[in-house]
Amino acid sequence: MATCRGIDVSAYQATQDWAAHKKDGVVFAFAKASEGQTTHDSRFSTHIKGIKAAGLVPGAYHFAWPSQDVAKEAANYIAAVKPYAGKGFTHWLDLERYSDGRNYAGRTAAQIKAYATAWIAAVSKAFPGQRVGVYTSGSDLSSGHVPSGVPLWYPAYSWGSGTSVSYATAEAHAKPKPSGWTPILWQFADAPTDRSICYMTEAQLRTWAGGDTPVTPDAPPPEDDMPKYVNLGVSKPYQLKPGADWDAIEFNAEWDDQTGDHATGGSVFVKGKAVYNGTIWLRFSDLAVGQVVQVRQSEVDANGKYVHDHPASEVIGTGGDTFAAVPLGGSVAAGRSMRIRMISQQAKTPVTVAGVTLMAFVWK
């Protein structure tokens, strides 16, 4: 099984000799950037500068407080990493409960999942084309705290916490699959430093981190046949009218369209013949508690007629801003194209679509 090796650090670790780590075979390194609404890690700047200078695959993480305001937490992280983030930089939400539960206090599983979804959406919007994933435990996964379709960095110490375990031992071990998830990275030891392995070669990881090939929790990175990257959005809010039919999202913001399939302001994000996967992040500003918006992929023929609808996903209002990450995936036949459509069947008043970001990878 192809792997590469990495570590992660925070203020608890002193300044590192990153060149020595690289010489010892370390390929990637992540540093804690922030926590909660206002805290910045005191050694983040030193750590991340050293990681980048050594030529390692860089990344940063934010320790989550779902009991606090997610917009402020995302803004705190974004401010901390903005001077260092760029193509090839990875971002991680550290979603784990303190032993006394203070950072999860008063939150249901659904609310924690909504928090994670919103944080991922905000960071993805701030850093288009850069990878955003979740570091979380088996208990959080089994509790349903993590939205589907996001890269997983999974901590589990099969040999016990505080035990020094070699990379070779972890690489020879069976790949973990907690609650049906397949992690991209496995943090297998916390001594003498936090150590992880990535289930890609160094070349694959660098390509993936650069935004040039997809990895989903249940699909390994392709060895060849490089996909095209599509990153679209909506530049300003619009409304879903009550009682209206299914409405196609018109993507009037285009950050990247390597396929050339998207027309300016158009609703098509991929044309056949093609295979694709990705995620669309949505934010609704006035979706009432319990109110449902349905989202689905719809295939269109050369004449613009809808010929096939994928099963619909449901977004359930949480009050205030409601966030959702809807996985995308499938194939499109030659001469056909794919759109995303939404409908709000229960609403008596218009529902505001406050934000849309689509990221997909397409094989032609």
Side-chain angles (χ1 to χ4, degrees), residues 40-56:
H40 285 190
D41 187 275
S42 61
R43 286 197 170 122
F44 173 65
S45 178
T46 298
H47 286 322
I48 202 65
K49 286 178 181 177
I51 290 167
K52 295 185 71 175
L56 302 176

